[in-house]
Amino acid sequence: MYKPRVGVIRGGPSSEYEISLQTGSAVLNVLDNERYEPVDIVISKEGLWHINGLVHEPHQALRKVDVVFNALHGNYGEDGKLQHLLETHNIPFTGSGSLVSAITMNKVLAKDRLRESGLKVPAHIVVERAPLEEALTNGEDAVAHIYHLAHSKFAPPYVVKPVSGGSSNGVVLVRDSRRFAEALAKAFMHGDTVMIE
């Protein structure tokens, strides 16, 4: 009897590499070997695809599976990039499609869609790294300016977080101005765009 080949893709280039390895391992451990043929696909932090320790091009690896269980976390796994690749190769996979994944991984786009659907969402402002760094280089107290801008729109406490990314990486609760610069720095460690709610 033919057993569908289930590719469990784990690892990946995001900061959530280790947790993704654990997720994929858990899936492989519970996959019913009587019904399915598991194929463990590990993507290195550098983006190389491995099956049984051997490097494969993505299209080569995907020829060895019938369906994919996406166990990647964060960038590449949840932001629509892997989903787009799988859609291009007509490989069915778990989770949402590429467009929905891309929208939901971006907190600003996701909030826009929720608001358009009539749901209430918290007010926010967006801060880009480049203008902030330029202002700091010019000697401006840009962090204080951003804090006052946020304060003029909504009262603390503030949630400072990267616009993209998962697992609450880079998320800091700020109750007053004392930890604001530290919160921005932590959020910017995970991307070039930060949201303050």
Side-chain angles (χ1 to χ4, degrees):
M1 182 178 104
Y2 178 76
K3 295 194 289 187
R5 301 167 301 170
V6 179
V8 178
I9 300 182
R10 59 194 184 118
S14 85
S15 61
E16 301 173 64
Y17 177 84
E18 297 296 335
I19 190 69
S20 174
L21 289 180
Q22 293 174 24
T23 298
S25 180
V27 171
L28 290 163
N29 286 336
V30 298
L31 203 57
D32 185 350
N33 292 335
E34 298 290 320
R35 297 178 58 196
Y36 305 105
E37 179 186 335
V39 180
D40 185 11
I41 302 173
V42 177
I43 300 177
S44 70
K45 290 182 179 181
E46 296 75 32
L48 298 175
W49 291 48
H50 298 81
I51 299 177
N52 298 325
L54 300 175
V55 175
H56 291 69
E57 290 297 321
H59 67 277
Q60 295 170 326
L62 293 176
R63 283 194 204 116
K64 299 179 183 292
V65 301
D66 300 305
V67 64
V68 162
F69 189 104
N70 180 7
L72 294 179
H73 293 259
N75 295 332
Y76 192 71
E78 294 181 272
D79 61 4
K81 292 184 180 92
L82 176 64
Q83 292 83 350
H84 178 71
L85 176 68
L86 296 171
E87 289 166 352
T88 300
H89 289 281
N90 294 314
I91 304 288
F93 56 92
T94 57
S96 301
S98 59
L99 179 60
V100 170
S101 297
I103 290 171
T104 55
M105 191 66 163
N106 182 301
K107 295 171 182 71
V108 174
L109 294 177
K111 285 178 70 171
D112 288 347
R113 297 306 171 279
L114 293 170
R115 189 181 300 106
E116 289 167 6
S117 297
L119 296 172
K120 292 182 178 181
V121 296
H124 72 271
I125 62 171
V126 174
V127 180
E128 300 284 345
R129 180 193 306 272
L132 177 62
E133 287 179 346
E134 183 179 334
L136 292 170
T137 302
N138 293 334
E140 300 173 34
D141 192 350
V143 174
H145 173 73
I146 293 166
Y147 181 83
H148 290 300
L149 177 62
H151 197 71
S152 71
K153 300 208 179 271
F154 38 85
Y158 303 121
V159 176
V160 180
K161 56 189 170 184
V163 165
S164 292
S167 298
S168 301
N169 287 335
V171 178
V172 179
L173 178 64
V174 177
R175 299 192 184 281
D176 55 47
S177 61
R178 288 174 292 175
R179 289 194 61 212
F180 199 70
E182 174 190 337
L184 283 173
K186 184 173 181 182
F188 277 123
M189 290 172 59
H190 300 275
D192 291 330
T193 310
V194 167
M195 171 187 284
I196 302 164
E197 293 180 322

